[in-house]
Amino acid sequence: MRSHLFWDQFADISVNRLVNPGEGEPFLIIADPKNDLNLAEALLSAGLRSGAATSLIIKDWYEEGTVSDPGPIVSNAILNSKYVLSLCGGIVRAPAMQEARSKGTRHLSTVVEGIEDYCIKALLNVDLDKMFENADIIARLWEETDECRVTSPYGADITFKMGGRPSLVSDGALTYDGEVDFYPGAQVSIAPLEESINGTIVVDASDNVSGLVHNNYSLIVVDGVITEVIGDGEGDAMRTWLETRNDDVIYRICHFSIGLNPQAGISGHLMEDERVLASVDFGFGYQDPKFGGTVGYSPYHADIMMANPDIYLDGKLMSTANRLEDGYGFHHL
């Protein structure tokens, strides 16, 4: 009996629309004991039905925020796969995954634990095509923008230059060799010019250390580097986490992202929070090479969420209060 009535349908869409492996191509599914293994088995069955050479590995688990090293067995399987779908964290930054992607392996990642109902609704109850079109509009706007400003009712005010860098659309579907994506989508991200990022970020929704943030705290950013964490409670936890990484790169802002899924809410699970419509995610630490930035590699990555900020593109409001502004051609889902 499935632990969720819709896992088979979820798995079919995941494999056939989002991964889309070819006949006989090596397709690896990775899970760990903390995952819903009924979902892992549903994905395995969907992969086998698709005709792909599908395998499922259940690996050991390790604490979030530790160095990503899945070991030699999983690493060799990754290196010999054309497609990888992971249900557990850490695989994105694993050295074997980095090497495999450089040779063309495509990687799709999700974590559904604690947000199972959201994941179902976000994939099955959303007009994916219209959501993807909204993402494409934002990507184009950001690539045409000189300066972006983000403010919030809680006192956030941070500005940065886009610098003509590529906007990355995370629609949750694999479309090119070497890609990594996360699902259910959608999200648009960019790496601002690092030295241009200055101001105050007020974390008012969630982060990767504490989950839900009940006591807002601030990150002071100077020339793209977090120089101070102000606030008690969750602020103390983030400050301690940063200090105990013993890694200078973790303090560097590496991406700016907006969520676009109308089914998402702030739950304390970043896989959902990052996709709340018109919410903002700032990431720091490890920066994927596809961003074209200068932060580089770190074994650590962190994200903070702002629930309902205002985003201005060259002085013009693009989004506010969890809605996209009229006049840009957005679909209202």
Side-chain angles (χ1 to χ4, degrees):
M1 180 178 178
R2 299 290 183 207
S3 57
H4 199 296
L5 294 174
F6 295 97
W7 274 159
D8 289 322
Q9 189 176 357
F10 181 91
D12 281 337
I13 295 174
S14 299
V15 171
N16 295 307
R17 174 161 187 180
L18 304 184
V19 178
N20 194 27
E23 181 81 23
E25 291 186 307
F27 171 33
L28 174 65
I29 299 160
I30 304 174
D32 68 33
K34 297 176 71 174
N35 298 139
D36 186 334
L37 300 186
N38 290 306
L39 172 56
E41 291 174 0
L43 289 165
L44 173 63
S45 296
L48 293 171
R49 288 195 299 272
S50 76
T54 309
S55 299
L56 168 63
I57 290 183
I58 311 298
K59 72 170 189 66
D60 194 7
W61 66 276
Y62 44 82
E63 294 290 343
E64 180 66 25
T66 58
V67 174
S68 305
D69 183 6
I73 294 175
V74 180
S75 295
N76 285 333
I78 290 171
L79 291 167
N80 285 282
S81 298
K82 173 66 176 177
Y83 303 90
V84 176
L85 194 161
S86 60
L87 299 177
C88 45
I91 300 300
V92 171
R93 299 186 303 279
M97 193 71 249
Q98 299 290 308
E99 181 181 347
R101 284 181 53 212
S102 72
K103 299 175 182 177
T105 296
R106 306 181 185 192
H107 180 201
L108 187 62
S109 177
T110 191
V111 177
V112 306
E113 279 66 39
I115 52 171
E116 291 87 350
D117 289 342
Y118 156 70
C119 288
I120 293 292
K121 293 186 293 183
L123 196 62
L124 275 60
N125 297 347
V126 171
D127 188 323
L128 298 180
D129 292 326
K130 288 183 178 179
M131 183 172 63
F132 296 166
E133 288 176 15
N134 283 349
D136 289 337
I137 291 170
I138 289 176
R140 174 182 54 79
L141 287 171
W142 286 5
E143 290 175 356
E144 296 172 353
T145 294
D146 176 31
E147 184 174 84
C148 179
R149 182 185 181 195
V150 180
T151 65
S152 81
Y154 305 105
D157 194 344
I158 188 163
T159 60
F160 44 87
K161 301 284 188 178
M162 298 299 206
R165 284 181 172 170
S167 296
L168 305 182
V169 174
S170 177
D171 54 16
L174 299 179
T175 57
Y176 60 88
D177 287 350
E179 181 180 10
V180 61
D181 209 343
F182 302 86
Y183 85 109
Q187 187 182 38
V188 181
S189 302
I190 195 169
L193 295 181
E194 287 81 6
E195 66 277 8
S196 74
I197 309 171
N198 288 283
T200 301
I201 299 170
V202 178
V203 185
D204 58 49
S206 62
D207 63 32
N208 69 299
V209 174
S210 300
L212 285 173
V213 168
H214 301 284
N215 303 288
N216 294 356
Y217 65 91
S218 300
L219 303 176
I220 308 302
V221 181
V222 178
D223 298 338
V225 178
I226 298 169
T227 60
E228 189 176 4
V229 180
I230 301 175
D232 300 326
E234 290 88 343
D236 288 332
M238 176 59 76
R239 188 182 307 107
T240 298
W241 187 86
L242 289 169
E243 291 172 351
T244 54
R245 298 311 94 187
N246 296 314
D247 177 45
D248 291 340
V249 177
I250 192 61
Y251 289 91
R252 300 188 63 189
I253 303 295
C254 64
H255 70 75
F256 163 66
S257 308
I258 185 173
L260 292 171
N261 197 304
Q263 293 288 346
I266 298 297
S267 64
H269 294 78
L270 286 174
M271 190 63 70
E272 178 177 5
D273 298 353
E274 290 176 350
R275 286 149 185 84
V276 170
L277 182 60
S279 67
V280 157
D281 164 20
F282 281 99
F284 36 105
Y286 169 75
Q287 184 183 65
D288 194 281
K290 66 183 180 180
F291 279 107
T294 62
V295 173
Y297 179 78
S298 168
Y300 308 106
H301 180 87
D303 294 274
I304 61 85
M305 292 300 309
M306 301 170 64
N308 56 356
D310 296 336
I311 301 177
Y312 297 88
L313 305 181
D314 292 328
K316 183 179 178 181
L317 187 65
M318 188 201 80
S319 63
T320 183
N322 299 118
R323 73 172 187 272
L324 302 174
E325 287 292 284
D326 294 329
Y328 291 100
F330 292 123
H331 298 287
H332 293 285
L333 305 179

